[in-house]
Amino acid sequence: VLRYHKGEKVATITTGADGTASSPPLYLGAFDVFEEQAPPDMVLNPEHKTVVLSYAGQFVEITVAEVGFRNERQKVQIDLKKTMEVSRRFQLGTNGEIQSVSFGLYAAEPIKASDGKTIPKDGLIEILPVSADGTAVFLTDLPVGSKLYVKEYSTDEHYQISDQKYPVSFDYAGQEISTVHIFVNNGKPIENKLIRGNIHGKKVDEDGFSIAGAVFGLFAKDETEFSEETALLTAKSNEIGVFGFFDVPYGEYLVRELSCPPAFVLSEEIIPVTVSEQDQIVEITMENRFITGSVQVFKQDSETSAPIPGVVFQVYADVDRNKAFDPEIDRLAGELTETEAGVYQLDGLRYGGYFLREETAGEAYVKDDSSYYFFIETDGETVTVGNNGEIFVNKPVLGSVLIRKTDSETGEALSGAVFGLFDADGKEIRRGETDETGLLLFENLRYGKYVLKELKAKDGYQLNAETVNVKITEDGQLVEISLANTRIPPVPDIPQTGANIPWFWISALVISGSSMLVSAIVIYCTKKK
């Protein structure tokens, strides 16, 4: 007689604290045993096991058969996704930096481990590196109910490490689920931001004043070609000389000037800078040296081309930049130094326009009152200024001597008198003869002292042996000299009577003595043409 029908549930048993359970007495037969409810936090074991209760003889009142089941604890898998900020300009974020990132799994509350030990609050449970595809999976076997959090443990040096804690709670998900999948940050990628700082620069000249309009480049630390094309960033100094590179990622860089205003020498200084902290400000100062040059003058006599020493030249800066000299506005910049006879030079003139002016030309020369504009444009250049090509010439001071020759008694003009003009060393430099008007003109006499001498008197006149000192001191000066000669008296006829007449001889001596008196009037008149 059948006691049970196939598939009929004949008993439900529950394990006790020791994990065992016994069914009530059953009729002999074969039974299918399977788990309907897993223990707390365990995964249901899906196995079906057959147990047979067989007759054990007349002396066994109840036949016992055993069957065992094993349950697995529910597991947890914690997944996260990671991304990195990318800067293509600085070539960051695409070079495997993500593989330098790791995350830590921490206990948010104390957790009792299976071996009886306790993981304290904020205790580090696992460190997990991020794979190249930006994913990471925590697989640590944790008890259900664990309160956890995930925090970034390390990252690439170019990136900010986050202190943010991402909470994770491992709650029992039912006996049908063997592994609970938890996604950190609700499955959204956790991004790393680059460490960025700012580079502030100040551009000044050698006097410490601001320079506007200079262009700078920020370059990779191993760059050797410095141009706007190879620069990572460029910047221009403003009206107060300030420039900057902003949001520069972590790293080592070089700063160099690419162009500067015309008045300055381009700086070849290379300044290394390092950004190592978030919001760091790196301050640098760069200096430009002024373009400087020289002016040179070759000073010569316009007639002889001989060097002229002892001249004073001054240079004035064209302050209002109109290329027209104005003594009320334009500023004295310096005085040239005579480096050798007739050669003058002034160094250290900064970029810009200037006027060369002759302040003194030497007493023997006519001063040039013009202003000569020149411009210093290239560093180290020497500009030669002249009023005759590249030569600065001076016309010598020239004067004339006019000799007026007359008869001492009648004032009649005397021609045929010969005069010599001698220099201070006694050398005869000019010789001439008075014309029919009694005049003799020595022209184009250079500045200096001369001596005038009568070398030959007009026939019938006595030679005037007196010398006249002449001095030419001004250009165009005319020195007029009037000289008179006394006529030689005629020799009287002497009678040939042989008589001795004493009165005649006495008379002759008186006449002869009076004729020896020479009246010479020298008049020096100086006037300008």
Side-chain angles (χ1 to χ4, degrees), residues 55-115:
Y55 180 67
Q58 60 182 351
F59 299 107
V60 178
E61 182 178 356
I62 297 176
T63 297
V64 176
E66 294 183 358
V67 65
F69 288 87
R70 180 181 177 83
N71 285 95
E72 296 291 337
R73 285 187 303 104
Q74 195 168 70
K75 304 293 177 61
V76 64
Q77 177 178 311
I78 302 171
D79 296 81
L80 64 82
K81 293 181 180 179
K82 183 66 180 173
T83 59
M84 309 291 279
E85 181 186 359
V86 173
S87 173
R88 300 194 181 280
R89 179 186 295 273
F90 289 87
Q91 298 181 358
L92 293 172
T94 58
N95 303 311
E97 292 90 346
I98 198 167
Q99 291 179 274
S100 297
V101 180
S102 63
F103 282 86
L105 183 64
Y106 298 83
E109 295 178 354
I111 299 174
K112 189 172 183 179
S114 58
D115 59 3

Side-chain angles (χ1 to χ4, degrees), residues 388-402:
N388 184 25
E390 292 193 347
I391 305 299
F392 202 107
V393 298
N394 277 104
K395 175 182 173 294
V397 170
L398 299 176
S400 301
V401 174
L402 178 65

Side-chain angles (χ1 to χ4, degrees), residues 5 31 172 406 470:
H5 297 286
F31 297 91
Y172 184 59
T406 60
V470 179

Side-chain angles (χ1 to χ4, degrees), residues 187-206:
K188 297 178 182 177
I190 299 171
E191 185 181 23
N192 264 121
K193 292 290 187 180
L194 285 163
I195 292 173
R196 292 181 181 270
N198 300 316
I199 299 169
H200 293 177
K202 176 76 173 179
K203 189 62 174 176
V204 297
D205 62 27
E206 54 194 287

Side-chain angles (χ1 to χ4, degrees), residues 294-297 335-339 343-347 382:
S294 304
V295 62
Q296 188 177 56
V297 175
E335 187 172 294
L336 277 68
T337 300
E338 188 170 8
T339 58
V343 180
Y344 303 82
Q345 185 160 321
L346 176 62
D347 301 322
T382 298

Side-chain angles (χ1 to χ4, degrees), residues 212-268:
V215 177
F216 304 87
L218 181 71
F219 298 89
K221 67 177 181 178
D222 55 354
E223 184 61 73
T224 57
E225 182 181 344
F226 300 97
S227 67
E228 290 196 28
E229 290 72 23
T230 61
L232 298 170
L233 295 172
T234 60
K236 179 183 286 189
S237 59
N238 62 16
E239 63 277 3
I240 58 173
V242 173
F243 65 94
F245 303 105
F246 305 101
D247 291 329
V248 178
Y250 175 103
E252 297 178 1
Y253 302 94
L254 303 175
V255 177
R256 177 168 164 171
E257 187 174 58
L258 298 177
S259 66
C260 63
F264 300 95
V265 178
L266 181 69
S267 174
E268 295 183 355

